[in-house]
PDB file of all heavy atoms in Angstrom:
ATOM      1  N   PRO Y   1     -16.631 -20.500  48.691  1.00 97.00           N
ATOM      2  CA  PRO Y   1     -15.651 -19.485  48.337  1.00 97.00           C
ATOM      3  C   PRO Y   1     -16.326 -18.349  47.587  1.00 97.00           C
ATOM      4  O   PRO Y   1     -17.181 -18.555  46.766  1.00 97.00           O
ATOM      5  CB  PRO Y   1     -14.620 -20.187  47.399  1.00 97.00           C
ATOM      6  CG  PRO Y   1     -14.769 -21.603  47.904  1.00 97.00           C
ATOM      7  CD  PRO Y   1     -16.135 -21.877  48.226  1.00 97.00           C
ATOM      8  N   LEU Y   2     -16.021 -17.120  47.936  1.00 96.00           N
ATOM      9  CA  LEU Y   2     -16.721 -15.981  47.444  1.00 96.00           C
ATOM     10  C   LEU Y   2     -15.788 -14.763  47.328  1.00 96.00           C
ATOM     11  O   LEU Y   2     -14.983 -14.539  48.239  1.00 96.00           O
ATOM     12  CB  LEU Y   2     -17.932 -15.603  48.286  1.00 96.00           C
ATOM     13  CG  LEU Y   2     -18.825 -14.486  48.003  1.00 96.00           C
ATOM     14  CD1 LEU Y   2     -19.759 -14.834  46.880  1.00 96.00           C
ATOM     15  CD2 LEU Y   2     -19.514 -13.970  49.212  1.00 96.00           C
ATOM     16  N   THR Y   3     -15.875 -14.000  46.246  1.00 98.00           N
ATOM     17  CA  THR Y   3     -15.119 -12.783  46.121  1.00 98.00           C
ATOM     18  C   THR Y   3     -15.967 -11.642  46.644  1.00 98.00           C
ATOM     19  O   THR Y   3     -16.911 -11.232  45.988  1.00 98.00           O
ATOM     20  CB  THR Y   3     -14.637 -12.512  44.689  1.00 98.00           C
ATOM     21  OG1 THR Y   3     -13.854 -13.627  44.219  1.00 98.00           O
ATOM     22  CG2 THR Y   3     -13.829 -11.190  44.619  1.00 98.00           C
ATOM     23  N   LEU Y   4     -15.694 -11.222  47.862  1.00 98.00           N
ATOM     24  CA  LEU Y   4     -16.521 -10.137  48.481  1.00 98.00           C
ATOM     25  C   LEU Y   4     -15.695  -8.838  48.483  1.00 98.00           C
ATOM     26  O   LEU Y   4     -14.657  -8.790  49.049  1.00 98.00           O
ATOM     27  CB  LEU Y   4     -16.920 -10.530  49.882  1.00 98.00           C
ATOM     28  CG  LEU Y   4     -17.748  -9.521  50.677  1.00 98.00           C
ATOM     29  CD1 LEU Y   4     -19.116  -9.355  50.020  1.00 98.00           C
ATOM     30  CD2 LEU Y   4     -17.916  -9.947  52.140  1.00 98.00           C
ATOM     31  N   ARG Y   5     -16.249  -7.817  47.920  1.00 98.00           N
ATOM     32  CA  ARG Y   5     -15.582  -6.487  47.888  1.00 98.00           C
ATOM     33  C   ARG Y   5     -16.548  -5.427  48.401  1.00 98.00           C
ATOM     34  O   ARG Y   5     -17.647  -5.320  47.961  1.00 98.00           O
ATOM     35  CB  ARG Y   5     -15.113  -6.143  46.490  1.00 98.00           C
ATOM     36  CG  ARG Y   5     -13.926  -7.093  46.042  1.00 98.00           C
ATOM     37  CD  ARG Y   5     -13.635  -6.903  44.497  1.00 98.00           C
ATOM     38  NE  ARG Y   5     -14.710  -7.395  43.675  1.00 98.00           N
ATOM     39  CZ  ARG Y   5     -14.636  -7.698  42.399  1.00 98.00           C
ATOM     40  NH1 ARG Y   5     -13.453  -7.520  41.855  1.00 98.00           N
ATOM     41  NH2 ARG Y   5     -15.627  -8.078  41.747  1.00 98.00           N
ATOM     42  N   ILE Y   6     -15.998  -4.706  49.315  1.00 98.00           N
ATOM     43  CA  ILE Y   6     -16.814  -3.612  49.964  1.00 98.00           C
ATOM     44  C   ILE Y   6     -16.321  -2.256  49.504  1.00 98.00           C
ATOM     45  O   ILE Y   6     -15.116  -2.059  49.501  1.00 98.00           O
ATOM     46  CB  ILE Y   6     -16.679  -3.762  51.566  1.00 98.00           C
ATOM     47  CG1 ILE Y   6     -17.193  -5.121  52.046  1.00 98.00           C
ATOM     48  CG2 ILE Y   6     -17.535  -2.574  52.248  1.00 98.00           C
ATOM     49  CD1 ILE Y   6     -16.716  -5.470  53.385  1.00 98.00           C
ATOM     50  N   HIS Y   7     -17.261  -1.399  49.160  1.00 98.00           N
ATOM     51  CA  HIS Y   7     -16.893  -0.093  48.592  1.00 98.00           C
ATOM     52  C   HIS Y   7     -17.607   0.976  49.311  1.00 98.00           C
ATOM     53  O   HIS Y   7     -18.884   0.962  49.408  1.00 98.00           O
ATOM     54  CB  HIS Y   7     -17.150   0.003  47.112  1.00 98.00           C
ATOM     55  CG  HIS Y   7     -16.605  -1.181  46.299  1.00 98.00           C
ATOM     56  ND1 HIS Y   7     -15.344  -1.172  45.724  1.00 98.00           N
ATOM     57  CD2 HIS Y   7     -17.178  -2.344  45.937  1.00 98.00           C
ATOM     58  CE1 HIS Y   7     -15.154  -2.292  45.134  1.00 98.00           C
ATOM     59  NE2 HIS Y   7     -16.223  -3.022  45.219  1.00 98.00           N
ATOM     60  N   VAL Y   8     -16.939   1.986  49.851  1.00 98.00           N
ATOM     61  CA  VAL Y   8     -17.603   3.200  50.364  1.00 98.00           C
ATOM     62  C   VAL Y   8     -17.725   4.161  49.143  1.00 98.00           C
ATOM     63  O   VAL Y   8     -16.782   4.595  48.565  1.00 98.00           O
ATOM     64  CB  VAL Y   8     -16.741   3.861  51.434  1.00 98.00           C
ATOM     65  CG1 VAL Y   8     -17.317   5.157  51.905  1.00 98.00           C
ATOM     66  CG2 VAL Y   8     -16.558   2.850  52.621  1.00 98.00           C
ATOM     67  N   LEU Y   9     -19.015   4.474  48.880  1.00 98.00           N
ATOM     68  CA  LEU Y   9     -19.292   5.415  47.738  1.00 98.00           C
ATOM     69  C   LEU Y   9     -19.474   6.774  48.402  1.00 98.00           C
ATOM     70  O   LEU Y   9     -20.595   7.054  48.846  1.00 98.00           O
ATOM     71  CB  LEU Y   9     -20.541   4.964  46.963  1.00 98.00           C
ATOM     72  CG  LEU Y   9     -20.572   3.456  46.547  1.00 98.00           C
ATOM     73  CD1 LEU Y   9     -21.821   3.238  45.676  1.00 98.00           C
ATOM     74  CD2 LEU Y   9     -19.343   3.140  45.724  1.00 98.00           C
ATOM     75  N   ASP Y  10     -18.531   7.627  48.386  1.00 98.00           N
ATOM     76  CA  ASP Y  10     -18.571   8.860  49.169  1.00 98.00           C
ATOM     77  C   ASP Y  10     -18.794  10.061  48.185  1.00 98.00           C
ATOM     78  O   ASP Y  10     -17.919  10.584  47.534  1.00 98.00           O
ATOM     79  CB  ASP Y  10     -17.198   9.011  49.850  1.00 98.00           C
ATOM     80  CG  ASP Y  10     -17.232  10.347  50.737  1.00 98.00           C
ATOM     81  OD1 ASP Y  10     -18.299  10.817  51.056  1.00 98.00           O
ATOM     82  OD2 ASP Y  10     -16.067  10.848  51.023  1.00 98.00           O
ATOM     83  N   ASP Y  11     -20.047  10.591  48.209  1.00 97.00           N
ATOM     84  CA  ASP Y  11     -20.439  11.753  47.408  1.00 97.00           C
ATOM     85  C   ASP Y  11     -20.004  13.054  48.206  1.00 97.00           C
ATOM     86  O   ASP Y  11     -20.144  14.111  47.626  1.00 97.00           O
ATOM     87  CB  ASP Y  11     -21.937  11.823  47.186  1.00 97.00           C
ATOM     88  CG  ASP Y  11     -22.250  11.423  45.704  1.00 97.00           C
ATOM     89  OD1 ASP Y  11     -21.290  11.065  44.970  1.00 97.00           O
ATOM     90  OD2 ASP Y  11     -23.420  11.424  45.345  1.00 97.00           O
ATOM     91  N   GLY Y  12     -19.429  12.870  49.406  1.00 96.00           N
ATOM     92  CA  GLY Y  12     -18.932  14.029  50.081  1.00 96.00           C
ATOM     93  C   GLY Y  12     -17.469  14.313  49.821  1.00 96.00           C
ATOM     94  O   GLY Y  12     -16.976  15.417  50.230  1.00 96.00           O
ATOM     95  N   ARG Y  13     -16.794  13.376  49.179  1.00 97.00           N
ATOM     96  CA  ARG Y  13     -15.384  13.532  48.772  1.00 97.00           C
ATOM     97  C   ARG Y  13     -14.563  14.024  49.996  1.00 97.00           C
ATOM     98  O   ARG Y  13     -13.896  14.987  49.937  1.00 97.00           O
ATOM     99  CB  ARG Y  13     -15.293  14.562  47.623  1.00 97.00           C
ATOM    100  CG  ARG Y  13     -15.924  14.028  46.352  1.00 97.00           C
ATOM    101  CD  ARG Y  13     -15.920  15.043  45.252  1.00 97.00           C
ATOM    102  NE  ARG Y  13     -16.873  16.096  45.414  1.00 97.00           N
ATOM    103  CZ  ARG Y  13     -18.215  15.912  45.164  1.00 97.00           C
ATOM    104  NH1 ARG Y  13     -18.644  14.846  44.701  1.00 97.00           N
ATOM    105  NH2 ARG Y  13     -19.009  16.907  45.321  1.00 97.00           N
ATOM    106  N   ARG Y  14     -14.582  13.238  51.069  1.00 97.00           N
ATOM    107  CA  ARG Y  14     -13.931  13.601  52.340  1.00 97.00           C
ATOM    108  C   ARG Y  14     -12.624  12.824  52.528  1.00 97.00           C
ATOM    109  O   ARG Y  14     -12.685  11.633  52.409  1.00 97.00           O
ATOM    110  CB  ARG Y  14     -14.921  13.388  53.480  1.00 97.00           C
ATOM    111  CG  ARG Y  14     -16.114  14.373  53.487  1.00 97.00           C
ATOM    112  CD  ARG Y  14     -17.232  13.833  54.426  1.00 97.00           C
ATOM    113  NE  ARG Y  14     -17.907  12.728  53.842  1.00 97.00           N
ATOM    114  CZ  ARG Y  14     -18.878  11.998  54.495  1.00 97.00           C
ATOM    115  NH1 ARG Y  14     -19.187  12.351  55.678  1.00 97.00           N
ATOM    116  NH2 ARG Y  14     -19.460  10.995  53.904  1.00 97.00           N
ATOM    117  N   GLY Y  15     -11.672  13.522  52.910  1.00 97.00           N
ATOM    118  CA  GLY Y  15     -10.376  12.843  53.191  1.00 97.00           C
ATOM    119  C   GLY Y  15     -10.486  11.876  54.335  1.00 97.00           C
ATOM    120  O   GLY Y  15      -9.870  10.853  54.369  1.00 97.00           O
ATOM    121  N   ALA Y  16     -11.220  12.273  55.400  1.00 98.00           N
ATOM    122  CA  ALA Y  16     -11.404  11.498  56.514  1.00 98.00           C
ATOM    123  C   ALA Y  16     -12.099  10.051  56.192  1.00 98.00           C
ATOM    124  O   ALA Y  16     -11.713   9.044  56.708  1.00 98.00           O
ATOM    125  CB  ALA Y  16     -12.120  12.174  57.621  1.00 98.00           C
ATOM    126  N   MET Y  17     -13.034  10.179  55.285  1.00 98.00           N
ATOM    127  CA  MET Y  17     -13.750   8.950  54.870  1.00 98.00           C
ATOM    128  C   MET Y  17     -12.764   8.094  54.043  1.00 98.00           C
ATOM    129  O   MET Y  17     -12.798   6.834  54.145  1.00 98.00           O
ATOM    130  CB  MET Y  17     -14.970   9.329  54.042  1.00 98.00           C
ATOM    131  CG  MET Y  17     -15.852   8.124  53.768  1.00 98.00           C
ATOM    132  SD  MET Y  17     -16.706   7.504  55.278  1.00 98.00           S
ATOM    133  CE  MET Y  17     -17.867   8.840  55.552  1.00 98.00           C
ATOM    134  N   ARG Y  18     -11.987   8.714  53.224  1.00 98.00           N
ATOM    135  CA  ARG Y  18     -11.031   7.941  52.418  1.00 98.00           C
ATOM    136  C   ARG Y  18     -10.010   7.246  53.353  1.00 98.00           C
ATOM    137  O   ARG Y  18      -9.663   6.090  53.099  1.00 98.00           O
ATOM    138  CB  ARG Y  18     -10.232   8.900  51.461  1.00 98.00           C
ATOM    139  CG  ARG Y  18      -9.208   8.184  50.539  1.00 98.00           C
ATOM    140  CD  ARG Y  18      -8.381   9.204  49.803  1.00 98.00           C
ATOM    141  NE  ARG Y  18      -9.143  10.089  48.922  1.00 98.00           N
ATOM    142  CZ  ARG Y  18      -9.513   9.812  47.687  1.00 98.00           C
ATOM    143  NH1 ARG Y  18      -9.012   8.657  47.156  1.00 98.00           N
ATOM    144  NH2 ARG Y  18     -10.176  10.596  47.009  1.00 98.00           N
ATOM    145  N   ASP Y  19      -9.567   7.979  54.358  1.00 98.00           N
ATOM    146  CA  ASP Y  19      -8.606   7.394  55.342  1.00 98.00           C
ATOM    147  C   ASP Y  19      -9.222   6.189  56.075  1.00 98.00           C
ATOM    148  O   ASP Y  19      -8.574   5.140  56.310  1.00 98.00           O
ATOM    149  CB  ASP Y  19      -8.144   8.446  56.317  1.00 98.00           C
ATOM    150  CG  ASP Y  19      -7.311   9.521  55.667  1.00 98.00           C
ATOM    151  OD1 ASP Y  19      -6.811   9.301  54.554  1.00 98.00           O
ATOM    152  OD2 ASP Y  19      -7.184  10.606  56.239  1.00 98.00           O
ATOM    153  N   MET Y  20     -10.535   6.339  56.461  1.00 98.00           N
ATOM    154  CA  MET Y  20     -11.171   5.295  57.166  1.00 98.00           C
ATOM    155  C   MET Y  20     -11.257   3.994  56.271  1.00 98.00           C
ATOM    156  O   MET Y  20     -11.025   2.915  56.650  1.00 98.00           O
ATOM    157  CB  MET Y  20     -12.562   5.706  57.553  1.00 98.00           C
ATOM    158  CG  MET Y  20     -13.403   4.680  58.379  1.00 98.00           C
ATOM    159  SD  MET Y  20     -14.270   3.425  57.347  1.00 98.00           S
ATOM    160  CE  MET Y  20     -15.457   4.474  56.567  1.00 98.00           C
ATOM    161  N   ALA Y  21     -11.630   4.186  54.976  1.00 98.00           N
ATOM    162  CA  ALA Y  21     -11.726   3.044  54.062  1.00 98.00           C
ATOM    163  C   ALA Y  21     -10.408   2.402  53.886  1.00 98.00           C
ATOM    164  O   ALA Y  21     -10.302   1.107  53.837  1.00 98.00           O
ATOM    165  CB  ALA Y  21     -12.236   3.563  52.707  1.00 98.00           C
ATOM    166  N   ARG Y  22      -9.318   3.240  53.868  1.00 98.00           N
ATOM    167  CA  ARG Y  22      -7.986   2.636  53.670  1.00 98.00           C
ATOM    168  C   ARG Y  22      -7.640   1.788  54.918  1.00 98.00           C
ATOM    169  O   ARG Y  22      -7.073   0.731  54.821  1.00 98.00           O
ATOM    170  CB  ARG Y  22      -6.996   3.740  53.434  1.00 98.00           C
ATOM    171  CG  ARG Y  22      -5.500   3.184  53.156  1.00 98.00           C
ATOM    172  CD  ARG Y  22      -4.546   4.319  53.093  1.00 98.00           C
ATOM    173  NE  ARG Y  22      -4.832   5.268  52.033  1.00 98.00           N
ATOM    174  CZ  ARG Y  22      -5.217   6.509  52.213  1.00 98.00           C
ATOM    175  NH1 ARG Y  22      -5.332   7.006  53.427  1.00 98.00           N
ATOM    176  NH2 ARG Y  22      -5.493   7.305  51.155  1.00 98.00           N
ATOM    177  N   GLU Y  23      -7.909   2.384  56.129  1.00 98.00           N
ATOM    178  CA  GLU Y  23      -7.610   1.658  57.363  1.00 98.00           C
ATOM    179  C   GLU Y  23      -8.380   0.369  57.444  1.00 98.00           C
ATOM    180  O   GLU Y  23      -7.901  -0.675  58.050  1.00 98.00           O
ATOM    181  CB  GLU Y  23      -7.857   2.561  58.559  1.00 98.00           C
ATOM    182  CG  GLU Y  23      -6.953   3.798  58.675  1.00 98.00           C
ATOM    183  CD  GLU Y  23      -7.435   4.790  59.696  1.00 98.00           C
ATOM    184  OE1 GLU Y  23      -8.451   4.424  60.418  1.00 98.00           O
ATOM    185  OE2 GLU Y  23      -6.811   5.793  59.848  1.00 98.00           O
ATOM    186  N   GLU Y  24      -9.611   0.348  57.027  1.00 98.00           N
ATOM    187  CA  GLU Y  24     -10.406  -0.821  57.077  1.00 98.00           C
ATOM    188  C   GLU Y  24     -10.188  -1.847  55.959  1.00 98.00           C
ATOM    189  O   GLU Y  24     -10.718  -2.972  55.942  1.00 98.00           O
ATOM    190  CB  GLU Y  24     -11.914  -0.517  57.073  1.00 98.00           C
ATOM    191  CG  GLU Y  24     -12.376   0.305  58.311  1.00 98.00           C
ATOM    192  CD  GLU Y  24     -12.362  -0.494  59.538  1.00 98.00           C
ATOM    193  OE1 GLU Y  24     -12.318  -1.710  59.421  1.00 98.00           O
ATOM    194  OE2 GLU Y  24     -12.261   0.082  60.669  1.00 98.00           O
ATOM    195  N   GLY Y  25      -9.355  -1.401  54.986  1.00 98.00           N
ATOM    196  CA  GLY Y  25      -8.988  -2.323  53.865  1.00 98.00           C
ATOM    197  C   GLY Y  25     -10.144  -2.547  52.860  1.00 98.00           C
ATOM    198  O   GLY Y  25     -10.245  -3.573  52.319  1.00 98.00           O
ATOM    199  N   VAL Y  26     -10.969  -1.487  52.707  1.00 98.00           N
ATOM    200  CA  VAL Y  26     -12.040  -1.573  51.705  1.00 98.00           C
ATOM    201  C   VAL Y  26     -11.904  -0.550  50.634  1.00 98.00           C
ATOM    202  O   VAL Y  26     -11.119   0.335  50.751  1.00 98.00           O
ATOM    203  CB  VAL Y  26     -13.451  -1.467  52.418  1.00 98.00           C
ATOM    204  CG1 VAL Y  26     -13.604  -2.517  53.507  1.00 98.00           C
ATOM    205  CG2 VAL Y  26     -13.590  -0.057  53.056  1.00 98.00           C
ATOM    206  N   GLY Y  27     -12.667  -0.714  49.576  1.00 98.00           N
ATOM    207  CA  GLY Y  27     -12.617   0.283  48.456  1.00 98.00           C
ATOM    208  C   GLY Y  27     -13.244   1.598  48.785  1.00 98.00           C
ATOM    209  O   GLY Y  27     -14.128   1.707  49.586  1.00 98.00           O
ATOM    210  N   TYR Y  28     -12.730   2.619  48.095  1.00 98.00           N
ATOM    211  CA  TYR Y  28     -13.299   3.983  48.226  1.00 98.00           C
ATOM    212  C   TYR Y  28     -13.486   4.489  46.847  1.00 98.00           C
ATOM    213  O   TYR Y  28     -12.512   4.581  45.981  1.00 98.00           O
ATOM    214  CB  TYR Y  28     -12.327   4.857  49.046  1.00 98.00           C
ATOM    215  CG  TYR Y  28     -12.779   6.307  49.168  1.00 98.00           C
ATOM    216  CD1 TYR Y  28     -13.564   6.648  50.161  1.00 98.00           C
ATOM    217  CD2 TYR Y  28     -12.255   7.238  48.275  1.00 98.00           C
ATOM    218  CE1 TYR Y  28     -13.953   7.975  50.323  1.00 98.00           C
ATOM    219  CE2 TYR Y  28     -12.638   8.578  48.398  1.00 98.00           C
ATOM    220  CZ  TYR Y  28     -13.545   8.970  49.341  1.00 98.00           C
ATOM    221  OH  TYR Y  28     -13.950  10.271  49.517  1.00 98.00           O
ATOM    222  N   LEU Y  29     -14.673   4.964  46.518  1.00 98.00           N
ATOM    223  CA  LEU Y  29     -15.059   5.458  45.279  1.00 98.00           C
ATOM    224  C   LEU Y  29     -15.746   6.787  45.436  1.00 98.00           C
ATOM    225  O   LEU Y  29     -16.651   6.986  46.246  1.00 98.00           O
ATOM    226  CB  LEU Y  29     -15.966   4.543  44.493  1.00 98.00           C
ATOM    227  CG  LEU Y  29     -15.422   3.149  44.095  1.00 98.00           C
ATOM    228  CD1 LEU Y  29     -16.520   2.284  43.493  1.00 98.00           C
ATOM    229  CD2 LEU Y  29     -14.264   3.380  43.030  1.00 98.00           C
ATOM    230  N   THR Y  30     -15.363   7.782  44.619  1.00 97.00           N
ATOM    231  CA  THR Y  30     -15.944   9.061  44.604  1.00 97.00           C
ATOM    232  C   THR Y  30     -16.060   9.501  43.188  1.00 97.00           C
ATOM    233  O   THR Y  30     -15.653   8.886  42.209  1.00 97.00           O
ATOM    234  CB  THR Y  30     -15.282  10.059  45.533  1.00 97.00           C
ATOM    235  OG1 THR Y  30     -16.028  11.211  45.621  1.00 97.00           O
ATOM    236  CG2 THR Y  30     -13.877  10.429  44.919  1.00 97.00           C
ATOM    237  N   ARG Y  31     -16.609  10.757  42.926  1.00 97.00           N
ATOM    238  CA  ARG Y  31     -16.751  11.265  41.567  1.00 97.00           C
ATOM    239  C   ARG Y  31     -16.683  12.805  41.672  1.00 97.00           C
ATOM    240  O   ARG Y  31     -16.819  13.417  42.781  1.00 97.00           O
ATOM    241  CB  ARG Y  31     -18.090  10.819  40.953  1.00 97.00           C
ATOM    242  CG  ARG Y  31     -19.289  11.100  41.808  1.00 97.00           C
ATOM    243  CD  ARG Y  31     -20.526  10.374  41.378  1.00 97.00           C
ATOM    244  NE  ARG Y  31     -21.672  10.686  42.252  1.00 97.00           N
ATOM    245  CZ  ARG Y  31     -22.855  11.055  41.818  1.00 97.00           C
ATOM    246  NH1 ARG Y  31     -23.094  11.171  40.464  1.00 97.00           N
ATOM    247  NH2 ARG Y  31     -23.823  11.288  42.679  1.00 97.00           N
ATOM    248  N   PRO Y  32     -16.464  13.474  40.551  1.00 95.00           N
ATOM    249  CA  PRO Y  32     -16.234  14.905  40.589  1.00 95.00           C
ATOM    250  C   PRO Y  32     -17.546  15.731  40.853  1.00 95.00           C
ATOM    251  O   PRO Y  32     -17.398  16.863  41.297  1.00 95.00           O
ATOM    252  CB  PRO Y  32     -15.706  15.268  39.202  1.00 95.00           C
ATOM    253  CG  PRO Y  32     -16.198  14.129  38.326  1.00 95.00           C
ATOM    254  CD  PRO Y  32     -16.242  12.921  39.217  1.00 95.00           C
TER     255      PRO Y  32
END
């Protein structure tokens, strides 16, 4: 048993990338 979490670290702050992460059920992180 393992807690596995996948995160897309998007320095491009793109809406399309956020949508892809949501559709795949993974985390999405960005910064200002």
Side-chain angles (χ1 to χ4, degrees):
L2 180 80
T3 301
L4 179 66
R5 291 169 294 198
I6 301 163
H7 308 273
V8 176
L9 310 184
D10 182 21
D11 256 1
R13 296 175 285 280
R14 292 163 288 175
M17 191 68 74
R18 183 189 299 273
D19 293 342
M20 182 277 293
R22 184 185 302 112
E23 291 171 4
E24 294 293 338
V26 301
Y28 176 86
L29 294 172
T30 188
R31 54 194 179 130

